[in-house]
Structure formats: C-alpha cells, structure tokens
Amino acid sequence: LITFQYVTQDWLTRVFPKGTRVESSNPNPLPCWRAGLHQVALNFQCNDVALQVNQAFFRRSGGLGYVPKPRGLLSVPPLWPPKRD
C-alpha cells in the first residue's frame, strides 16, 4: 500500500481487469482509490455496487469529473490511511 502511495504522487496510474476476463462484473474501486490509484476501469454495462459507488463518489464532488486526492496521500511520507487509535 505504501509503495503505491509513493508511486502515485509522481505518476498517473490506472487499474483495469485482465484482458482474458470474460465476465462483466466490476472490481471494488475503493481499495484502489485508497492506495492512491487515479483510474479504475469499470464496466458501465453492469450496474452493480462497484459502479454505484463510483457514480456516488463523483456526484459528491459536484459532477466535476474528478475527485481531489486527500491531503494525506499528497504528503511525504503518505499519511493515508489515517492511523487508528
């Protein structure tokens, strides 16, 4: 997780399913976003929970088309996820 967070501070990253996959299900985008990955490829033909989470996340930002990273992911060293007491 920490390695991804360092990489995503300087590089644009995306995650997509394996090319030989034949099913239409979507991966859960939240773990990818928590690691700081920028893009998660989702199948819009399948209106499952993962796609609904994606749509809700972007609607929450006012429909801008992007969601700013939390400050904790931009700091050096990354301070995300927050430590639990």
Side-chain angles (χ1 to χ4, degrees), residues 3-4 8 12 26 46-47 53 55-57 60-61 72 75 80 83:
T3 302
F4 276 122
T8 60
L12 183 64
N26 285 313
C46 181
N47 190 21
V53 166
Q55 291 171 341
F57 204 67
R60 184 174 163 220
S61 72
S75 64
W80 191 265
K83 293 183 181 181

Side-chain angles (χ1 to χ4, degrees), residues 5-75:
Q5 291 173 346
Y6 277 113
V7 169
T8 60
Q9 287 180 339
D10 297 322
W11 298 92
L12 183 64
T13 55
R14 64 182 174 149
V15 175
F16 48 92
K18 191 173 183 178
T20 57
R21 194 174 73 113
V22 293
E23 60 186 53
S24 296
S25 63
N26 285 313
N28 183 356
L30 289 176
C32 301
W33 292 335
R34 287 183 188 133
L37 299 173
H38 299 93
Q39 297 176 344
V40 180
L42 296 173
N43 179 1
F44 276 64
Q45 296 173 338
C46 181
N47 190 21
D48 57 5
V49 173
L51 185 61
Q52 292 170 14
V53 166
N54 179 70
Q55 291 171 341
F57 204 67
F58 285 95
R59 281 191 188 139
R60 184 174 163 220
S61 72
L64 297 174
Y66 70 95
V67 177
K69 278 189 175 187
R71 290 184 185 177
L73 277 175
L74 298 174
S75 64

